[in-house]
Amino acid sequence: TLSDHGYPIISMFFDAPAEVEEAVVLGPGFNPVPGRMTQLGGVGFQDEAEYDYQCQERAAGGYKSGMGEIFRRVAMIAPVQ
């Protein structure tokens, strides 16, 4: 499937239910678990807060490996304008 501007759509992102702000409480005592599924209003999703520490560690390390690095390098070949 192509976007309105002719670029391939790899995945669709949807907003989480409005109740997510109450369900995922950040701060002292929050124990993020990357990959944990949250169920709200019949919708299952992974909240970005679960990956906070992992993302901070990768950023501090300069994103030196992983698929994200590969995607960034490939995207530089033909940047979307």
Side-chain angles (χ1 to χ4, degrees), residues 38-61:
T38 300
Q39 296 285 332
L40 288 174
V43 176
F45 61 94
Q46 294 178 337
D47 191 275
E48 64 190 72
E50 302 286 3
Y51 294 89
D52 186 51
Y53 299 131
Q54 189 175 11
C55 290
Q56 288 178 27
E57 289 175 0
R58 286 186 46 74

